[in-house]
Amino acid sequence: MNKNLAFVLDGRVLSAPRVMNAVTTGQIALGFGSAAEAEQVAAEMSTTATP
């Protein structure tokens, strides 16, 4: 908790929000700088092809 988790895509860090709560249920609460940042990361991750 209270550590950053980086989202890396194609060798580029998209964002590194802070983990807000312990992961005990398979869900995670992340602290992005803004809702817009979270939406941008989600959009980039959903439109990029995975290997």
Side-chain angles (χ1 to χ4, degrees):
M1 284 187 350
N2 290 322
K3 295 197 178 194
N4 292 73
L5 172 68
F7 289 96
V8 180
L9 190 60
D10 294 332
R12 183 174 64 99
V13 176
L14 299 177
S15 183
R18 185 165 298 274
V19 177
M20 304 303 289
N21 300 347
V23 181
T24 59
T25 64
Q27 296 181 353
I28 189 168
L30 298 173
F32 284 91
S34 67
E37 179 186 359
E39 290 170 2
Q40 179 64 34
V41 171
E44 288 187 51
M45 292 178 73
S46 67
T47 59
T48 303
T50 56

